[in-house]
Amino acid sequence: MRYSAFSILWQGLKGHSGWPRMWRDPVPKDHYDVIIIGGGGHGLATAYYLAKEHGVTNIAVIEKGWIGGGNVGRNTTIVRSNYMLPANTHFYEKSMQLWEGLEQDLNFNVMVSQRGIINLFHSDPQRDAMARRGNAMRLAGVDAEMLTPAQLKKRVPILDFDNARFPIRGGLTQPRGGTVRHDAVAWGYARGADMRGVDIIQNCEVQDIRIEGGRAVGVETSKGFISADKVAMAVAGHTSAVAKMAGIELPVESHVLQAFVSEGIKPLIDTVVTFGAGHFYISQSDKGGLVYGGDLDGYNSYAQRGNMPMMEHVMAGGMAIMPTLGRVRLLRHWGGIMDMSFDGSPFICKTGIGGLYLNGGWCYGGFKATPASGWCYAHTIAKDEPHKLNAAFTIERFREGRMLDEKGVGPNPWIQ
Amino acid sequence: MHQIDCPWCGVRDEAEFQYQGDASVTRPDPDAGEDDFFSYVYVRDNPKGWHTEWWHHNGGCRQWVKVVRNTATHEIHATGLPRDGLPVPQARLKP
């Protein structure tokens, strides 16, 4: 069913009794051309673009839990392409462009809101670093502007510009950045993939990857063995565990990152603000809740919940830059498990095993990448070779000394 | 919150410590070859379950503490000196 103003009106007249479910609940077939392990944003986007761009429709997306229950629903919904290294800049800009046309493409309201993102700076050296980043972005065709304190005061008056330790001297903004409703992204891609014949199999856990003669031939699941010509992993957070099923060891550690939402309040901040010096960033959802977060907890964890010291650290960062936060009550908070790669950049690549593909290592930046990740991964799987946009996102880059260390912190994932 | 039993200071809150990574990794011999050094620098077991790791007591005695901790439950099984070979419970959780 195609969604439109007319369909809403028509269903409204019928008491909303005729909306069909958005995707089926199929029994797995014995064989698929492609099995995607993981029904998160990236897995669903991959299935969608495989079907739409490459005509591969005999696909199963196998999900341990339910659609939208993992990291695609556990992030702070920010999208941006303000990267500096060429491989990252071009990839994330592709993602930004796909976000811009996603609602029309999917015929689904994912609430893309290009409200802009502002990175604050507090000193001359920081201004130079921001200017450098902005120039790198503009050279790659991405939008970036420097804001003076006067411009910033007009845009975000609620900030503490005269903070004793971190007085605000300006900001770098990407006006096309913003937020997207994260659950809707999972649902939109799931619906789009299902409409093209993709089987989305929920509550089905992949327990092993069967490999014969150096080639992946299928997966053992809680619903039995399913064979496939190609098997593609998209399980960021648990990539180490799933890759181990195929005997692959990776430069990845799993870490927990917390996020916070306040009670709903009237409009306070109409953009995304990051306070890098204090490890804090914030936006406001359309429901009115302030959505904010900070650093990783900083130790290996699969627990999907964090601890109090980091909560306190994030709140302190918020109070430093936006003291009015002290009057707003916290409504909920949660943790998500990040696939922290050893250079802070992802993997979208082939593996040493025929017909087995890897998508992971997204660190804490996977959500914004969802469309381009699916788009590039679909290309890699369909053609059995990477697109030029993801050619640098290999496992071998560590061995070859071609790391994409955007932050320049070296192989210590817990301080990325 | 993690409460870590520092062998020098006693039980202290996590906030006094800085995590320093997987303690089961050991530096290879200088002539061990590229593969061993690659694994040493980049490859980690990253288990869901018991994990032997370093915590630096940088808000206290500034010594390094070896800790056996569960990455799925945040339970701490044992702590000790860097030279100690700490027992690791065998039960692994499902991935």
Side-chain angles (χ1 to χ4, degrees), chain A residues 79 244 392:
Chain A
V79 299
K244 241 176 241 175

Side-chain angles (χ1 to χ4, degrees), chain B:
Chain B
M1 190 190 309
H2 294 103
Q3 301 229 303
I4 297 169
D5 188 3
C6 172
W8 290 275
C9 310
V11 177
R12 299 297 178 92
D13 284 348
E14 161 195 341
E16 289 187 14
F17 295 81
Q18 162 80 45
Y19 179 75
Q20 295 289 1
D22 188 336
S24 67
V25 182
T26 50
R27 190 181 175 86
D29 288 335
D31 52 359
E34 217 172 82
D35 284 350
D36 285 5
F37 272 96
F38 170 74
S39 296
Y40 166 61
V41 178
Y42 292 116
V43 176
R44 295 292 178 270
D45 188 38
N46 191 24
K48 183 175 189 172
W50 296 107
H51 189 230
T52 306
E53 54 199 23
W54 297 119
W55 289 76
H56 181 208
H57 197 183
N58 62 355
C61 62
R62 302 198 64 78
Q63 299 295 314
W64 284 53
V65 183
K66 195 183 262 183
V67 178
V68 177
R69 190 182 59 96
N70 194 306
T71 61
T73 63
H74 294 173
E75 182 191 347
I76 292 174
H77 177 70
T79 60
L81 308 175
R83 64 170 177 271
D84 291 348
L86 299 178
V88 179
Q90 284 310 302
R92 274 268 178 104
L93 301 177
K94 272 172 63 181

